[in-house]
Amino acid sequence: MTQTVELLAPAGDLDKLKMAIMYGADAVYLGGEAFGLRTSSKNFSLEEIKEGVKYSHERGKKVYITLNIVPHDEDLIGLEEYIKYLYDINVDAVIVSDPGMFSMIKRTIPELPIHISTQASVTNYETIMFWYDLGVRRIVLARELSFEEIKSITNRIPKDLEIEAFVHGSMCMSYSGRCLMSNYMTDRDANRGDCSQPCRYRYHVVEEKRPGEYFPVIEDDNGSFIFNSKDLCMIEYIERLVEAGITSFKIEGRVKSAYYVATIIRAYRIALDEYLKDPKNYIYNPQWLDELKKVSHRDFTTGFYLGKTDKDSQVYSSSSYVRGFDFVGRVLDYDPSSGIATIEQRNRIFVGDEIEVFGPNKEYFTQRVEKMWNDKGEEIEVAPHAQQIISIKLKKDIEKYYLIRKRKED
């Protein structure tokens, strides 16, 4: 019997949740306005969480809520009421890292499923069984485990325990994301959801007897980004991820765009479905990796999956992203009789541009923009204004919420 594998997507707001579901996610994880580790994402109000749960459940998908901060006493105020609300609107589980918060949830709503967060740094069988004996039925593994270590764990755990692991997205240079640099340097506590990402800063070395003399860590006048990790990408290893016993593939990126979420989820959905359809005859398609590179990203790494990381897991020259393509529009409506698509523009688009059009689980197609009209029906040569409503004739039938991109101009 083929193993069931969940594709788990980030949702930074309601729009991203809907895009993640449309583009192939089996479940989403999101944060409310408190208790989660991403204050820089828009996050969800109580009503938005309720709407997101309803939208997801109507489509047979699940919603998990992050409660994964490392809390101080003041951070626990209002937790019981929040938990009761989440239970009443039928969230599928909450994600927790702190034992005290775990105890409060168990005491308040014993029936509410709890997933143990990667922030809890679970790296061994004994810790897994500690949580299992307390009623936990899903563990999000620490990022610092290899395939061999994961397989050793999953060979021993009970059959009703699920293992979740990150397979794509930004990596933290600190152990399981437990960083103190942000708090020290900017007074913003990463473990309470307010990381300022000092790992992406540029650094020089100062020798104690030469104050004021700044030496680059490498021979580069711009300094060195010595803490700047590459992005995790495991799409080439779908088969090994499944064989290791991972039952939920987690994508990082709650602060990323809806275009990012749709593109990444779509690529992993296609790859995972191809594997699950016929595991014995599965063949990796390099085009899936090419798709992942069409969103803003850093260079890719396999993290710890293939063993201990080395110097090649860091980006030393820059903290900027690789941007090969621009997201230029989202389809709001489509008239199949005329082939005209109504589009909300997101980046400048010109008549004559070569564009790529793609939707959920479908191959993208390319075409040249031959004519373009504004919302008054007037023919235009360029759409330069953010979120401008335009119309373009497309050569193939599409649907609402398809996305349009073009290769970035040099």
Side-chain angles (χ1 to χ4, degrees):
M1 181 177 177
T2 302
Q3 178 179 331
T4 300
V5 180
E6 174 186 86
L7 184 57
L8 177 55
D13 58 33
L14 198 53
D15 179 52
K16 296 172 189 177
L17 179 149
K18 292 178 179 180
M19 290 298 283
I21 296 296
M22 280 187 281
Y23 275 76
D26 298 305
V28 295
Y29 65 100
L30 59 93
E33 294 173 339
F35 309 114
L37 274 177
R38 286 294 180 272
T39 59
S40 53
S41 63
K42 291 182 179 179
N43 294 323
F44 287 67
S45 68
L46 296 180
E47 280 303 310
E48 287 171 333
I49 296 174
K50 184 177 181 179
E51 183 179 345
V53 170
K54 182 175 184 291
Y55 179 91
S56 302
H57 285 180
E58 285 174 348
R59 290 156 179 80
K61 312 301 182 181
K62 295 181 178 180
V63 178
Y64 311 134
I65 309 297
T66 58
L67 303 173
N68 54 348
I69 61 170
V70 179
H72 295 229
D73 276 350
E74 64 193 53
D75 299 316
L76 297 173
I77 297 172
L79 178 62
E80 292 95 336
E81 291 77 12
Y82 185 50
I83 291 301
K84 290 175 183 176
Y85 178 82
L86 296 179
Y87 182 72
D88 287 343
I89 63 172
N90 296 316
V91 299
D92 296 281
V94 293
I95 306 170
V96 173
S97 64
D98 179 70
M101 185 172 282
F102 175 90
S103 296
M104 290 182 68
I105 296 168
K106 276 293 186 184
R107 189 167 62 242
T108 305
I109 304 288
E111 302 84 8
L112 181 61
I114 299 176
H115 298 172
I116 298 302
S117 169
T118 191
Q119 304 297 130
S121 305
V122 176
T123 57
N124 63 81
Y125 169 79
E126 291 296 338
T127 302
I128 286 176
M129 293 310 298
F130 167 84
W131 288 115
Y132 181 84
D133 290 341
L134 292 174
V136 171
R137 292 299 178 266
R138 181 180 290 197
I139 302 287
V140 189
L141 293 177
R143 289 178 170 91
E144 293 78 19
L145 291 173
S146 68
F147 277 126
E148 289 71 21
E149 290 173 307
I150 296 170
K151 184 62 174 175
S152 175
I153 287 170
T154 57
N155 281 340
R156 302 170 65 192
I157 61 175
K159 294 189 182 299
D160 61 340
L161 179 62
E162 299 174 336
I163 294 296
E164 179 181 312
F166 281 94
V167 300
H168 194 93
S170 297
M171 293 278 283
C172 180
M173 49 75 64
S174 294
Y175 200 92
S176 293
R178 302 187 71 151
C179 179
L180 300 178
M181 288 178 64
S182 178
N183 207 341
Y184 177 78
M185 298 181 73
T186 65
D187 201 30
R188 289 171 53 182
D189 193 342
N191 295 309
R192 296 166 82 181
D194 198 21
C195 183
S196 61
Q197 294 197 319
C199 55
R200 311 299 180 188
Y201 297 175
R202 187 172 62 215
Y203 290 90
H204 290 72
V205 169
V206 177
E207 198 272 326
E208 64 177 344
K209 294 181 180 179
R210 295 177 175 83
E213 295 185 36
Y214 301 95
F215 300 94
V217 178
I218 58 174
E219 292 184 9
D220 185 335
D221 291 339
N222 294 322
S224 177
F225 297 83
I226 56 177
F227 303 123
N228 187 36
S229 176
K230 293 180 180 179
D231 285 355
L232 180 65
C233 177
M234 296 301 295
I235 201 163
E236 297 176 77
Y237 297 90
I238 295 292
E239 187 172 12
R240 291 192 66 180
L241 291 166
V242 176
E243 289 175 350
I246 299 168
T247 50
S248 179
F249 290 6
K250 191 168 192 173
I251 309 296
E252 183 275 339
R254 279 193 284 148
V255 299
K256 301 293 180 64
S257 68
Y259 167 66
Y260 176 95
V261 171
T263 302
I264 301 299
I265 291 298
R266 173 179 169 272
Y268 275 90
R269 179 77 274 158
I270 292 171
L272 184 56
D273 284 352
E274 190 66 23
Y275 172 81
L276 295 175
K277 181 174 65 179
D278 187 2
K280 292 183 178 179
N281 295 302
Y282 171 74
I283 299 175
Y284 166 72
N285 187 338
Q287 290 184 354
W288 302 331
L289 180 59
D290 292 339
E291 281 296 293
L292 298 179
K293 292 179 178 178
K294 291 179 179 179
V295 297
S296 178
H297 65 282
R298 299 180 183 89
D299 291 336
F300 290 138
T301 176
T302 54
F304 291 82
Y305 279 104
L306 301 183
K308 187 177 180 181
T309 58
D310 57 24
K311 59 184 177 63
D312 293 328
S313 296
Q314 305 293 115
V315 182
Y316 298 100
S317 58
S318 170
S319 63
S320 61
Y321 288 85
V322 179
R323 293 180 173 90
F325 280 74
D326 282 330
F327 170 39
V328 297
R330 179 191 297 195
V331 175
L332 301 180
D333 196 15
Y334 177 71
D335 180 3
S337 62
S338 65
I340 300 294
T342 303
I343 297 161
E344 182 184 67
Q345 178 261 40
R346 293 302 178 93
N347 275 292
R348 284 195 309 170
I349 183 170
F350 295 82
V351 169
D353 279 347
E354 189 82 15
I355 59 173
E356 293 184 359
V357 184
F358 68 97
N361 266 329
K362 301 291 177 66
E363 292 296 325
Y364 71 86
F365 65 89
T366 62
Q367 73 165 70
R368 192 168 299 280
V369 178
E370 297 179 353
K371 288 187 177 182
M372 187 163 54
W373 300 268
N374 63 19
D375 58 352
K376 297 177 182 177
E378 301 166 336
E379 194 166 333
I380 56 176
E381 293 295 315
V382 59
H385 307 300
Q387 296 185 292
Q388 183 176 355
I389 305 301
I390 60 174
S391 297
I392 296 175
K393 184 176 177 63
L394 298 178
K395 68 180 185 181
K396 291 187 178 182
D397 284 341
I398 60 167
E399 296 176 10
K400 185 178 179 181
Y401 297 117
Y402 269 53
L403 301 177
I404 300 173
R405 63 196 174 204
K406 69 172 184 177
R407 192 172 295 278
K408 190 173 178 64
E409 300 171 1
D410 295 331

